[in-house]
Amino acid sequence: MPEKKDYYEVLGVSREASEKDVKSAYRKLAMKYHPDRSDASDAEERFKEISEAYAVLSDPDKRKQYDQFGHAGINSQYSQEDLFRGVNFEDLLRGFGFGGGESIFDMFFSGGGRRRGPARGRDLRYDLNLTLEQAASGLETTIEVPRSEQCPTCKGSGSKPGTSPLTCPNCHGTGQVTRTQNTPFGQMIAQTTCSKCGGRGQIVTTPCETCSGSGRVRRTRKINVRIPAGVDDGQHLRLQGQGEAGEAGSEPGDLYVFINILPHSKFQRMDSDLFFEMPVSFTQAALGAEVEAPTLSGKARIKIPPGTQSGSIFRLRGKGMPRLHSLGTGDLHVKVNVKTPASLTPRQKELLEELAAEFGEKRQPEKGEKSILDKIVDEVKSAVH
């Protein structure tokens, strides 16, 4: 037998990796090497490898045994079926465009107590773009999803109407065959999907003309989706049974609608709070003012007290995003930035110089520019002459 790789190296994590890190690494690699998605020649072997590594490192007891004794500690304690028991691969992989745990157990020749017979339909993913305003108010919309559906002619059986499929002689209608496998650790008896009928338990002798015996047809279906107010970027909705049809009329998959919130020109979001930077003039900050700030539902007035410093933050309660799973609404935080004038008229410069003098501040005149004192002397000379 070829020597197994270190499980930590297989997942690309350190030996101090947390359970969350291990799970995240597995999901990324599963996306890359799942046989339903990857065209790589070694995809199935790599997928087996990372799944086995995850099964060990995600279980505290197995991981402790592996850290202490390596592969020998695992091989001596667990059969291949025991290795994967308790790992819910279906939940780990659902929502990424392919089925979950059944295919993993099939690959490892382990029935594992999983469902037998025709395969469940594949889950589908749909990415929905929303503006921040739409996420705040919620909406009902219609999406178009291309998917496989049950053939309306044969009702998913794959047989031409008026005919019936035959019971598979290889598995006798169970969809599974028993297989005995000798391993270095003893004899393993496992069940695998019947290769002759593909797990259906039946063989179609007279195919349906509409679906060519597959029991499924390709359609683009319009589906209504209700988006609740307050959804955030990366969250998803599960629409049960709206995925692809299963084999031979079996259970359909689910549809996962992932939310993508488009960038907003004014606001930044953090959970249910919004943040906005608003420029104010030097005089507004110094003397105080009442200004208007934009919100998702219009405008709100803010009182700027005299002497406000640049970077000061004002909170407008209840002007943020609705809280998705609780009552209430977040806040809008407005940060004021004092804007320095880029250009001044001569009169404005003169006034600012007078103000600087009042504060006891000195300013170096620009090249060719006369100070206020020079201007006064010039005026006196002009009056004398």
Side-chain angles (χ1 to χ4, degrees):
M1 287 180 65
E3 185 177 349
K4 286 186 177 182
K5 296 180 182 177
D6 179 81
Y7 286 143
Y8 291 99
E9 291 181 7
V10 169
L11 293 182
V13 298
S14 69
R15 303 190 81 83
E16 293 74 34
S18 66
E19 184 179 342
K20 183 178 179 181
D21 293 334
V22 170
K23 182 176 181 180
S24 177
Y26 173 73
R27 285 165 66 91
K28 288 179 181 178
L29 291 171
M31 285 283 290
K32 183 176 181 180
Y33 291 110
H34 195 288
D36 287 351
R37 177 168 296 212
S38 176
D39 294 328
S41 58
D42 63 342
E44 183 171 324
E45 289 306 314
R46 290 296 303 275
F47 189 71
K48 288 180 181 180
E49 189 176 56
I50 63 175
S51 297
E52 181 176 321
Y54 177 76
V56 171
L57 299 185
S58 63
D59 184 291
D61 292 334
K62 295 187 181 82
R63 183 171 178 174
K64 183 178 179 180
Q65 192 79 5
Y66 177 72
D67 287 344
Q68 189 170 1
F69 302 106
H71 288 293
I74 297 299
N75 295 334
S76 63
Q77 293 289 325
Y78 305 99
S79 67
Q80 205 163 42
E81 182 176 350
D82 290 335
L83 203 65
F84 292 94
R85 184 174 285 116
V87 184
N88 196 334
F89 286 102
E90 186 171 353
D91 282 351
L92 275 170
L93 303 180
R94 179 168 290 179
F96 290 93
F98 43 74
E102 290 86 1
S103 59
I104 293 176
F105 282 87
D106 287 343
M107 288 178 195
F108 284 92
F109 309 107
S110 173
R114 315 295 277 190
R115 176 183 49 79
R116 293 164 171 77
R120 173 185 179 275
R122 286 175 51 173
D123 296 330
L124 295 177
R125 171 174 176 152
Y126 186 95
D127 290 283
L128 180 63
N129 294 329
L130 298 179
T131 64
L132 190 62
E133 287 81 0
Q134 288 173 323
S137 62
L139 76 157
E140 271 194 55
T141 187
T142 301
I143 61 176
E144 294 189 356
V145 180
R147 66 183 187 183
S148 295
E149 297 185 351
Q150 186 182 84
C151 175
T153 304
C154 66
K155 308 302 181 185
S157 71
S159 293
K160 183 178 180 179
T163 67
S164 299
L166 299 178
T167 300
C168 176
N170 190 42
C171 65
H172 306 291
T174 65
Q176 300 284 317
V177 292
T178 301
R179 171 176 175 174
T180 301
Q181 185 179 18
N182 293 318
T183 73
F185 310 105
Q187 192 178 69
M188 181 182 293
I189 299 176
Q191 289 184 318
T192 61
T193 301
C194 176
S195 59
K196 190 173 184 66
C197 65
R200 299 177 66 168
Q202 297 177 322
I203 297 176
V204 176
T205 56
T206 309
C208 170
E209 295 178 357
T210 303
C211 64
S212 301
S214 68
R216 293 174 288 183
V217 291
R218 198 72 178 167
R219 296 283 187 271
T220 297
R221 180 67 59 184
K222 292 183 177 181
I223 300 173
N224 292 327
V225 181
R226 179 176 293 178
I227 307 298
V231 293
D232 205 347
D233 189 68
Q235 293 180 330
H236 66 267
L237 307 174
R238 177 191 175 198
L239 303 183
Q240 190 172 4
Q242 294 291 353
E244 297 205 325
E247 294 180 355
S250 63
E251 179 186 3
D254 299 330
L255 171 65
Y256 288 80
V257 179
F258 278 75
I259 304 299
N260 299 321
I261 307 297
L262 299 173
H264 198 276
S265 59
K266 294 184 176 69
F267 303 113
Q268 295 291 326
R269 178 181 182 180
M270 183 178 294
D271 297 327
S272 60
D273 287 347
L274 296 177
F275 298 83
F276 171 66
E277 293 193 14
M278 183 175 67
V280 297
S281 69
F282 168 77
T283 53
Q284 286 174 320
L287 302 176
E290 190 171 290
V291 297
E292 286 188 338
T295 71
L296 288 176
S297 57
K299 293 183 180 295
R301 300 195 71 80
I302 299 178
K303 288 186 177 180
I304 306 294
T308 294
Q309 301 298 307
S310 186
S312 298
I313 297 176
F314 298 87
R315 181 170 66 174
L316 300 180
R317 294 183 182 276
K319 295 296 183 180
M321 298 289 291
R323 295 187 176 96
L324 182 60
H325 297 300
S326 61
L327 298 176
T329 306
D331 302 326
L332 171 62
H333 303 265
V334 180
K335 178 181 178 181
V336 297
N337 295 322
V338 178
K339 186 178 180 181
T340 303
S343 60
L344 297 170
T345 66
R347 175 58 179 160
Q348 289 170 336
K349 282 186 177 181
E350 187 173 329
L351 289 172
L352 287 177
E353 284 181 353
E354 292 177 1
L355 179 62
E358 286 290 327
F359 284 114
E361 299 173 352
K362 294 183 179 180
R363 184 180 72 85
Q364 183 68 32
E366 296 179 6
K367 186 176 182 181
E369 179 187 3
K370 291 185 177 182
S371 66
I372 294 177
L373 181 60
D374 290 335
K375 291 179 182 179
I376 294 174
V377 171
D378 289 343
E379 289 179 2
V380 172
K381 288 180 178 179
S382 177
V384 171
H385 295 297

